[in-house]
Amino acid sequence: MKKYIFLLSIAALSFTACEKEYLETTPENQVGTSTILGSADNAKMALNGICKAMTNQYLESQGMNGEDTILNWYGTFTGNDAQKCNQTGSAALWNSTYHLRKSSSYLYYPWFYYYKLVSNANAIICNIDAATGSESEKAFIKAQALTFRAYSFFRLAQLYSFRWKDTQGNAPGVVLRLDQSTGEFPLSTLAETYAQIYSDLDEAISLYQKSGLDRGSDEFYKPSIDVAYAIYAKAALTREDWQNAAKYAALARQGHALMTEDQYKDGFHTPNNEWIWGVYEASDQTLYYYSFYAYIGSNSSA
């Protein structure tokens, strides 16, 4: 998984193009983490790579398209207001039957996907403090990486653990991998999982405030302090921590006016001020019939 960042970030490196030294380059699989993440600029590219990872195809499967898969297969499709009349052959998918098969990729895809995000976020978190660059920029990048990690742990807990209501945090949670190690690691409890989510978000919010920086107006696909607030609110809600749920939901909504009537009728595919967070989309990097739009469109047979 570390290689994922390295390949995304290799373009950030500057090579000398003079005489024979031009050809004396280190193989990509031998470039160290300290080189790739040795500067804030390189770390920023690695962070961009995590953003793009949310809208990639995985496991050589048509529908495993990053975050969209989570929203569809484990969210909308299993809801009581979703239907797709021309997809009766996929009833087992819509009814979550596939998700319970031990040998099915439907079962382990979220685990694979979110730990890919965690692995990349950890590489930034563990190396950004020693990188070159301004302290404000490094604080902002670290805050974004912590936001990604907290979000991933939250989604994993939702999908692979029991409800808080049923166990009050005593059920098995997820693997809280907080560094770049790759060995086996035990499951935490659900209480420990939420404590780590809260801790990551507390640190992220503090770093966002310390940095004094924010994402660009058109960079809705990158984490920001509003995103950290929103994740905090959702995590607190599922943990039945009502006071924090209300507190952080209000903070997340500040500065995000509701969409206009015209924007509402536009089809929810164009970013507007009401959006707190989304995934990266570009007309020259579309997933075509692998995408969220193909799967959710009632006029599509994807």
Side-chain angles (χ1 to χ4, degrees), residues 22-136:
Y22 176 72
L23 299 177
E24 293 177 356
T25 59
T26 303
E28 289 180 2
N29 63 356
Q30 295 180 23
V31 177
T33 302
S34 60
T35 302
I36 295 298
L37 297 172
S39 71
D41 286 341
N42 288 356
K44 188 183 300 182
M45 290 192 69
L47 195 288
N48 286 343
I50 304 178
C51 296
K52 186 64 178 72
M54 299 185 84
T55 181
N56 281 345
Q57 180 194 359
Y58 295 105
L59 300 177
E60 299 181 345
S61 178
Q62 176 175 319
M64 293 180 179
N65 53 22
E67 193 70 18
D68 295 344
T69 300
I70 306 298
L71 298 179
N72 273 336
W73 288 359
Y74 310 96
T76 301
F77 286 4
T78 56
N80 60 5
D81 58 352
Q83 62 83 29
K84 193 117 179 191
C85 298
N86 63 342
Q87 288 289 284
T88 54
S90 298
L93 170 58
W94 282 73
N95 295 330
S96 295
T97 305
Y98 285 167
H99 303 166
L100 303 178
R101 295 179 182 175
K102 292 183 178 180
S103 60
S104 171
S105 57
Y106 293 82
L107 176 67
Y108 63 77
Y109 168 74
W111 192 272
F112 163 86
Y113 165 66
Y114 281 118
Y115 278 109
K116 178 179 284 291
L117 301 188
V118 168
S119 176
N120 282 267
N122 281 342
I124 295 175
I125 294 166
C126 293
N127 291 279
I128 189 65
D129 290 345
T132 61
S134 70
E135 292 303 314
S136 59

Side-chain angles (χ1 to χ4, degrees), residues 127-279:
N127 291 279
I128 189 65
D129 290 345
T132 61
S134 70
E135 292 303 314
S136 59
E137 192 170 34
K138 291 193 296 180
F140 186 69
I141 295 169
K142 187 174 185 178
Q144 291 178 303
L146 285 163
T147 304
F148 266 121
R149 189 169 75 181
Y151 176 72
S152 298
F153 286 153
F154 166 62
R155 285 299 197 196
L156 286 163
Q158 279 190 305
L159 292 167
Y160 290 103
S161 190
F162 293 94
R163 296 185 305 175
W164 185 274
K165 178 180 180 180
D166 298 331
T167 66
Q168 294 301 303
N170 293 318
V174 301
V175 175
L176 295 176
R177 193 173 297 282
L178 308 178
D179 54 34
Q180 294 180 272
S181 62
T182 56
E184 293 185 7
F185 206 80
L187 289 174
S188 66
T189 65
L190 188 59
E192 290 169 337
T193 299
Y194 275 98
Q196 185 61 50
I197 293 168
Y198 278 24
S199 176
D200 280 352
L201 291 172
D202 285 335
E203 184 178 0
I205 291 167
S206 176
L207 288 170
Y208 281 125
Q209 294 170 337
K210 175 184 175 182
S211 74
L213 302 176
D214 198 359
R215 63 188 178 185
S217 58
D218 61 341
E219 294 178 326
F220 64 91
Y221 53 88
K222 292 183 178 180
S224 65
I225 193 170
D226 296 345
V227 175
Y229 288 147
I231 297 169
Y232 216 133
K234 289 180 69 68
L237 192 65
T238 61
R239 190 193 169 284
E240 299 188 339
D241 178 3
W242 313 124
Q243 185 175 356
N244 275 320
K247 171 186 173 181
Y248 287 105
L251 288 171
R253 293 300 313 163
Q254 288 182 2
H256 292 276
L258 296 179
M259 65 181 77
T260 65
E261 181 178 353
D262 288 341
Q263 289 172 327
Y264 185 86
K265 294 177 179 178
D266 192 40
F268 296 93
H269 59 82
T270 304
N272 59 63
N273 191 59
E274 188 175 339
W275 288 31
I276 295 177
W277 198 22
V279 297

